[in-house]
Amino acid sequence: MISSILYRNGENYTAFDMDTVVADLHMDRIVDRILDVGKECAPRDFFFRKPAGPGDVPFRLSVIRELEDERVYGAVQRFLSRYNLFRLYLDYSIKLPQPKTKQKWLLDAACVYCDCLNRLYADLSEAPLASEGLRRFRDCLGLYRDAQSFRSLLHDSSDCRGRLDSVRFCIDIDLRENTVELSGDCGGGDYFETLARIFSAFGCEALGREIIALPGVNMGPLELRMLGCLESLYPDAFASLEGFYRKHAAFGHELADLFEREAQFYMAYIDYMRLLQQSGIRFCYPEFTDTLQLEITGGHDLALIDPAGGESGARAFDFDSGPGQICHVVTGPDQSARTSFIRMAGQAAYLSLLGLPVPCAGFKSCFLHGIHTHFARGEDLSTNFGRLKEELVRAKQILDRDGGGSLVLFHDILASTTSYDAGRIGKRLLSGLAERDSICIFATQIGELADTDVAHVHRLEGGAAGDNILEKYGLSASLIRERIR
Amino acid sequence: MNTNSLLFREPRDWPKQAVPNARDLICDLNLANIFSAMSRGDRFLYDAAGQLLLAKTPATPGDILYRQSILRDALENREAVRSMYRVLSARIVQYHDCYKKSQPAFSSFVTVSARIKDAVELFRILICAAVEINAVIDQQGAPFASEGMRDFIGAFRRFFSDAFIKSATAEVDKLRSTLDDSCVTYSAGLGLGLKGSGYILRGIGGKKTNGRSSGAKSSFALSSIGIQAQAGALRDAGLLKMVYVLNEANAKMLERFEAARRELGFYTGCVNLYEELEQIGVPTVFPTVPEPGQKALDFEGLSDVSLALEHSINPVGNTLHAGGAGLFVITGANQGGKSTFLRSLGCAQLMMQCGMFVAARSFRANCCSGVLTHFCRSEPGKPDRGMLEDELARMDALIALADRDSLVMLNESFSSAHEREACAIAGEVVGALHGRGVRTLYVTHLYDFTAGLAEQKPDGVMFLAAQRNADGTRPYTIAESLPERSSFGMDIYNEVFGE
């Protein structure tokens, strides 16, 4: 029994090109940061796969919108951290050598497993779920819980655990005589109570400390000997453990496994969003239209934002393709953040295609068929081509591949020729794209390209600092008045 | 543990954090002389004086009165205060020495029983300190008069009661003597993966001391080295908790003692300084703080403590009744005592705010949120900066710390710029400070600036000048007077060139 919260009708995706789109937009680094922030280790691949099934994007958006709700978030978060524990215990039960230990770790794993599925189901049943994905999963989980296999696992594990938990025994260690003696619980007081009375005025916290003896999961020789003694002192409890193991050694958990992986994808992104929101970055849910357009307000380049960096002064950009405006040239002086601008647009489109909220105040676009990027890079010596030729070969590949309805991003290419030539070539490229009905953004320093009627031109402003020395040190009368409150 | 503070009415921690401009203050106000006089060679007292005079969080007016009353008390009972400080110092030093010796050398292994023995040793040192302090308190003939000192002594005596000392010592001695028996009894249950869990230590020492049901038993000999090692580790786990308990008790007692040492150290330092000033003949007085809402800066015979200590002389004091004036423009004769005047006021302000007496016949001033100094330096703080840039960068840092309640002292600021530019800068900066109501003292030779300001006769500005006798000698006093074009540098020139 399986129910995905990533794909509406079964797994169906096309991968983004790692060498161009992912690398140019710095999505690989951004994903690393997302996974750094998210406590659970989400599957990295999910961030590089564009879902291709019909309705997958809105399906995902409604899931993540629901997961952002504090109650649902908390429920899934609890589930993920408990499920992690289940995996750990299960791993011990597989890897540790002693049969008795294996059996007990399996029992401990089963207890955690049953408990976290029950809690998850109870939590999800209390929440009024609206998203198709989460509702479908919850119903599926409900059926799984009602099935005989789960019910017997639940019953047997809690019964067996109860027997073993009630075992309490007494250990006498005598290192002069070199003996250890085990017996039923001896009762009697706690040695530390006398001390607690004397030191009560100190509020001594160490008195409440748990005694940690023989830590680690491995069993040493003394523990194995003691275990042998305990088996003979408590035969029923140990027989019950063996019975449990024989019956449930290979219980199935595929449904929860898939949910764990898919939920981690969303949760990691939510954690990342929240961290950025704290430093003032806004996120919004993308809005989709039927006509070819891309409209972004207050968009951020995530590559420049360090989630651990605290208050962020990162610059926000606006872009509006407008209706029918297919080609756009973005220019501006050095340091005017052309690169950030174009990355920002590409990242927003990319994330919207993954079915995730985007780092913008507003985002509206059609369902893009894909993203193509062509960013200037160092000459590739393996091709034997000159730089210009290499760039044009790649541009042609994009034109050939693009069937329209995509976002095409050109950045600082054609720099290795005269600006007159670059202007002419650039305009050709732009009109080629216009015919294919794809939105194209061309970030460039080439003046001739900006002087065109083929494309809509966006100019970015670069900031320059004032040179008054008092202003520089914040010491003009007005600045001082502002600084001293 | 119940803690009473000799520094704060509402117990707070010792102010560890210094004001960000501590280095500037030490240098500009010559504070090292004061610290030295307070410490009499005791490094600990030197540091304590520095930390308190330069504490980032200033004492409240209530705390100032609280400290003044304790300091008066300490001056009456000098020997008791000094004895308590000495006991604490000696025992704490002994404690740290013993602690250092108990720390294992690199890579050597210390058994848990050895760690318990060390902890017991440290515990005994602290108990000795408590016993000795109790003796000083009990021998003190005339009781302390101040509320703060009485609460402090009372709390100490109550906490380290004879009963506590007796029972704690007995328990620790018992533990020490049973350590070598090597027998422990636990009860436990089965935890995750069949590891033992929920250990309770039932007893140490005598075997099978606990009344036990005569149920089934199973025992075995520790036949191999591996099994013996684990048995030793299991025994030590319970004893380790004992180490933690003792270490924590030691740490908490030590913390209390160290706090007391610092606080008593501060008053010991004040007594030292008082005695030294008394010997030189410098008058001292406990300052008064005006009611909230009132502005005051009034003093008589205020002298620079640091100068007095350095030369063992009683310097000429200054008298000022400035009331609510906010900006003081100080001009006048070179070497006429302008910087000394700033320093005397800066020191007095810091001393007042940590509850000390000041070197004056009377002193009354508002508490400020911080003393901020900007004195000229011979070299830029960073080698790649020009002099003016360095001055401006330091002024930028000063403004970053300033608020309306700061006390700002500018000594020849902006003199590294051309006179015209300097006047313009001074106008902006000093004008804005005054405009924001920040109490500012500005020593300057910028005549165009000062004369211009004097002409406008703005509110709340007081013009002071270093005086000069008719024969060119200096009386080293500051008095109210309008700026003059000359600061009589020719006097100095003549003196140097003998013309």
Side-chain angles (χ1 to χ4, degrees):
Chain A
M1 204 165 7
I2 265 184
S3 170
S4 171
I5 52 171
L6 274 189
Y7 298 98
R8 191 155 177 251
N9 299 306
E11 192 177 63
N12 182 3
Y13 63 85
T14 50
F16 284 109
D17 191 297
M18 297 298 283
D19 294 332
T20 62
V21 180
V22 172
D24 288 341
L25 298 179
H26 287 185
M27 281 313 299
D28 44 358
R29 291 185 215 175
I30 295 166
V31 168
D32 286 342
R33 285 185 191 153
I34 294 172
L35 299 182
D36 253 8
V37 172
K39 283 142 253 152
E40 317 299 337
C41 176
R44 207 165 178 274
D45 288 351
F46 289 169
F47 288 97
F48 305 118
R49 293 173 180 172
K50 185 173 92 69
D56 277 347
V57 168
F59 176 83
R60 287 180 177 200
L61 285 170
S62 67
V63 169
I64 192 169
R65 197 188 283 274
E66 195 133 64
L67 282 171
E68 277 206 87
D69 177 276
E70 242 359 278
R71 261 205 320 192
V72 183
Y73 178 89
V76 173
Q77 189 63 57
R78 266 195 305 280
F79 165 79
L80 288 178
S81 68
R82 296 279 291 161
Y83 205 72
N84 212 5
L85 205 59
F86 156 68
R87 291 201 170 284
L88 183 71
Y89 292 175
L90 195 63
D91 193 48
Y92 290 151
S93 126
I94 293 164
K95 287 188 182 146
L96 290 173
Q98 300 90 14
K100 284 276 167 284
T101 318
K102 271 177 170 325
Q103 294 167 8
K104 181 61 169 33
W105 279 118
L106 184 84
L107 172 64
D108 293 331
C111 289
V112 174
Y113 176 79
C114 293
D115 175 59
C116 68
L117 284 198
N118 280 336
R119 295 238 331 241
L120 180 64
Y121 183 73
D123 288 346
L124 291 183
S125 301
E126 267 173 42
L129 295 183
S131 70
E132 183 187 351
L134 286 176
R135 271 193 2 221
R136 191 171 71 183
F137 169 75
R138 181 191 60 196
D139 296 345
C140 202
L141 182 59
L143 292 174
Y144 174 79
R145 281 177 67 254
D146 290 340
Q148 177 55 38
S149 58
F150 182 82
R151 283 161 58 166
S152 97
L153 181 69
L154 178 64
H155 171 267
D156 296 350
S157 60
S158 72
D159 175 67
C160 182
R161 179 71 177 262
R163 285 165 198 260
L164 284 161
D165 282 354
S166 65
V167 169
R168 264 206 89 82
F169 51 95
C170 198
I171 314 167
D172 268 308
I173 304 168
D174 186 338
L175 289 182
R176 266 184 312 188
E177 304 279 319
N178 251 340
T179 58
V180 165
E181 185 177 291
L182 282 109
S183 55
D185 191 7
C186 43
D190 184 339
Y191 180 82
F192 287 97
E193 270 165 26
T194 332
L195 280 182
R197 269 197 301 281
I198 295 171
F199 289 119
S200 59
F202 291 101
C204 199
E205 283 160 27
L207 284 166
R209 223 179 143 113
E210 201 185 334
I211 295 177
I212 308 282
L214 311 177
V217 293
N218 289 307
M219 287 281 192
L222 174 75
E223 291 169 289
L224 292 174
R225 279 302 297 273
M226 294 201 309
L227 207 52
C229 296
L230 291 173
E231 267 184 82
S232 60
L233 288 172
Y234 303 95
D236 294 349
F238 282 87
S240 139
L241 178 61
E242 193 157 352
F244 173 84
Y245 188 79
R246 220 176 290 134
K247 187 167 167 194
H248 295 287
F251 69 88
H253 36 81
E254 297 78 11
L255 174 69
D257 286 355
L258 182 72
F259 180 75
E260 180 198 26
R261 254 183 302 135
E262 296 188 338
Q264 279 169 345
F265 166 75
Y266 292 115
M267 298 295 274
Y269 193 73
I270 290 175
D271 289 345
Y272 175 73
M273 265 198 307
R274 289 189 173 170
L275 199 60
L276 261 50
Q277 279 162 344
Q278 280 168 20
S279 37
I281 307 292
R282 288 178 66 183
F283 278 79
C284 74
Y285 280 79
E287 214 181 296
F288 295 100
T289 61
D290 293 331
T291 52
L292 188 66
Q293 75 169 115
L294 178 63
E295 185 186 331
I296 297 171
T297 46
H300 286 281
D301 174 12
L302 291 179
L304 291 186
I305 299 168
D306 178 5
E311 200 63 30
S312 159
R315 189 167 160 190
F317 302 95
D318 295 337
F319 175 80
D320 185 1
S321 71
Q325 291 279 7
I326 285 178
C327 296
H328 300 267
V329 170
V330 176
T331 71
D334 275 331
Q335 307 292 324
S336 63
R338 285 192 313 278
T339 315
S340 266
F341 180 90
I342 197 158
R343 269 203 308 248
M344 173 286 297
Q347 290 162 5
Y350 185 106
L351 292 167
S352 78
L353 290 179
L354 285 185
L356 294 171
V358 294
C360 311
F363 179 96
K364 200 193 260 188
S365 91
C366 55
F367 273 116
L368 294 164
H369 290 158
I371 301 174
H372 303 286
T373 60
H374 188 352
F375 281 35
R377 51 184 67 173
E379 203 164 329
D380 181 357
L381 294 173
S382 67
T383 58
N384 239 345
F385 293 161
R387 175 141 174 213
L388 176 64
K389 182 163 179 197
E390 190 183 281
E391 286 182 346
L392 291 176
V393 167
R394 285 184 54 206
K396 182 163 187 310
Q397 283 170 357
I398 290 175
L399 284 169
D400 289 348
R401 231 183 294 155
D402 181 26
S406 307
L407 177 65
V408 180
L409 305 173
F410 286 159
H411 178 254
D412 278 4
I413 57 168
L414 308 180
S416 59
T417 180
T418 63
S419 52
Y420 176 73
D421 289 351
R424 291 175 52 175
I425 298 172
K427 284 174 196 168
R428 284 286 187 77
L429 287 175
L430 288 173
S431 32
L433 282 157
E435 281 166 22
R436 280 168 180 75
D437 259 1
S438 283
I439 298 174
C440 174
I441 307 177
F442 198 143
T444 184
Q445 256 179 309
I446 300 162
E448 275 74 3
L449 249 176
D451 177 25
T452 176
D453 47 7
V454 186
H456 188 76
V457 178
H458 305 256
R459 282 178 211 282
L460 297 172
E461 300 293 331
D467 52 6
N468 180 321
I469 192 159
L470 282 184
E471 303 260 325
K472 178 177 165 194
Y473 287 99
L475 295 175
S476 70
S478 61
L479 283 173
I480 291 180
R481 275 196 294 271
E482 203 155 289
R483 292 172 71 181
I484 299 177
R485 293 252 162 229
Chain B
M1 188 183 326
N2 180 18
T3 53
N4 282 67
S5 170
L6 288 172
L7 294 178
F8 305 103
R9 248 180 230 284
E10 299 299 322
R12 270 203 280 145
D13 285 339
W14 175 266
K16 280 199 200 81
Q17 222 182 348
V19 286
N21 61 333
R23 278 161 170 275
D24 288 338
L25 288 175
I26 292 173
C27 163
D28 295 342
L29 303 179
N30 258 338
L31 295 178
N33 286 339
I34 301 179
F35 301 159
S36 296
M38 289 176 77
S39 70
R40 288 196 186 164
D42 181 335
R43 183 75 218 176
F44 181 85
L45 288 183
Y46 190 99
D47 293 342
Q51 285 165 8
L52 215 55
L53 275 158
L54 297 170
K56 185 169 182 200
T57 334
T60 63
D63 287 333
I64 292 175
L65 291 179
Y66 183 69
R67 291 180 196 181
Q68 285 183 353
S69 75
I70 294 173
L71 181 49
R72 284 197 185 94
D73 206 356
L75 289 168
E76 289 297 313
N77 298 286
R78 296 175 199 189
E79 269 331 294
V81 171
R82 280 204 172 108
S83 304
M84 287 192 282
Y85 170 72
R86 261 188 236 121
V87 165
L88 288 170
S89 283
R91 289 298 179 189
I92 288 171
V93 168
Q94 187 192 3
Y95 181 97
H96 286 302
D97 284 350
C98 181
Y99 181 80
K100 255 180 242 153
K101 271 178 218 145
S102 73
Q103 292 305 294
F106 176 63
S107 86
S108 67
F109 175 75
V110 181
T111 63
V112 175
S113 354
R115 288 173 67 183
I116 292 188
K117 284 176 197 163
D118 290 335
V120 167
E121 227 31 67
L122 294 172
F123 186 82
R124 285 176 175 161
I125 293 173
L126 295 175
I127 289 293
C128 282
V131 170
E132 288 163 14
I133 295 278
N134 283 346
V136 174
I137 294 169
D138 296 346
Q139 282 161 19
Q140 165 78 351
F144 287 99
S146 64
E147 176 203 341
M149 199 58 110
R150 281 156 85 155
D151 286 352
F152 177 82
I153 296 291
F156 190 92
R157 202 66 189 82
R158 268 195 307 282
F159 186 82
F160 290 102
S161 66
D162 296 338
F164 167 78
I165 288 174
K166 205 172 147 201
S167 61
T169 310
E171 188 61 30
V172 162
D173 287 349
K174 195 176 97 194
L175 170 67
R176 176 80 173 69
S177 66
T178 54
L179 258 188
D180 298 324
D181 286 353
S182 307
C183 298
V184 294
T185 305
Y186 289 107
S187 79
L190 289 171
L192 293 168
L194 293 177
K195 297 288 286 187
S197 77
Y199 285 97
I200 296 173
L201 184 64
R202 297 289 193 200
I204 300 182
K207 199 178 176 215
K208 294 167 196 164
T209 45
N210 303 292
R212 140 132 32 112
S213 62
S214 52
K217 287 175 194 170
S218 177
S219 69
F220 53 90
L222 304 174
S223 47
S224 74
I225 291 181
I227 215 167
Q228 273 170 16
Q230 264 214 316
L234 181 54
R235 178 198 63 160
D236 287 352
L239 298 184
L240 197 59
K241 178 166 169 177
M242 184 67 67
V243 175
Y244 293 138
V245 169
L246 283 172
N247 283 350
E248 190 180 343
N250 284 341
K252 289 200 163 162
M253 278 200 281
L254 180 68
E255 192 187 338
R256 182 75 198 91
F257 284 167
E258 286 191 321
R261 181 194 188 193
R262 279 191 299 262
E263 296 188 352
L264 287 166
F266 167 67
Y267 291 103
T268 305
C270 292
V271 170
N272 289 345
L273 177 64
Y274 183 86
E275 287 176 347
E276 185 137 356
L277 291 174
E278 201 173 36
Q279 204 184 355
I280 302 172
V282 178
T284 53
V285 69
F286 279 101
T288 55
V289 177
E291 294 295 311
Q294 279 182 27
K295 282 272 182 191
L297 182 60
D298 302 290
F299 48 79
E300 285 170 14
L302 174 67
S303 57
D304 180 1
V305 186
S306 174
L307 187 71
L309 292 169
E310 182 150 345
H311 301 293
S312 289
I313 47 149
N314 181 13
V316 183
N318 277 299
T319 295
L320 182 71
H321 292 283
L327 173 61
F328 300 83
V329 176
I330 304 154
T331 58
N334 282 113
Q335 291 203 358
K338 299 189 295 289
S339 300
T340 303
F341 177 73
L342 283 191
R343 273 196 289 271
S344 67
L345 182 57
C347 287
Q349 187 77 33
L350 289 177
M351 288 167 73
M352 173 185 97
Q353 292 201 200
C354 79
M356 296 170 72
F357 44 79
V358 302
R361 288 192 307 277
S362 78
F363 190 90
R364 180 178 161 83
N366 298 94
C367 287
C368 66
S369 59
V371 177
L372 306 174
T373 54
H374 188 268
F375 281 33
C376 49
R377 291 278 152 80
S378 52
E379 275 172 30
K382 285 185 185 161
D384 56 339
R385 277 200 305 229
M387 281 300 282
L388 179 61
E389 290 230 30
D390 184 65
E391 278 205 62
L392 294 176
R394 286 192 290 122
M395 183 61 74
D396 175 26
L398 183 151
I399 296 293
L401 300 176
D403 62 30
R404 286 165 189 266
D405 296 324
S406 303
L407 176 63
V408 173
M409 296 186 168
L410 313 178
N411 194 359
E412 306 276 17
S413 298
F414 318 121
S415 53
S416 57
H418 294 295
E419 171 133 6
R420 187 178 298 173
E421 194 183 357
C423 287
I425 296 175
E428 294 255 328
V429 174
V430 176
L433 285 169
H434 183 50
R436 271 282 178 245
V438 181
R439 182 170 277 171
T440 306
L441 290 92
Y442 184 26
V443 167
T444 183
H445 289 298
L446 297 171
Y447 179 73
D448 284 348
F449 166 71
T450 54
L453 194 64
E455 227 162 76
Q456 294 166 26
K457 298 197 179 71
D459 282 347
V461 181
M462 201 166 190
F463 293 91
L464 304 174
Q467 301 301 295
R468 171 182 180 267
N469 297 328
D471 62 356
T473 58
R474 310 289 195 243
Y476 300 115
T477 52
I478 304 288
E480 199 163 353
S481 120
L482 286 172
E484 288 186 65
R485 185 166 290 280
S486 167
S487 55
F488 307 100
M490 275 316 284
D491 293 342
I492 314 294
Y493 176 87
N494 291 338
E495 191 185 322
V496 172
F497 286 88
E499 287 173 16

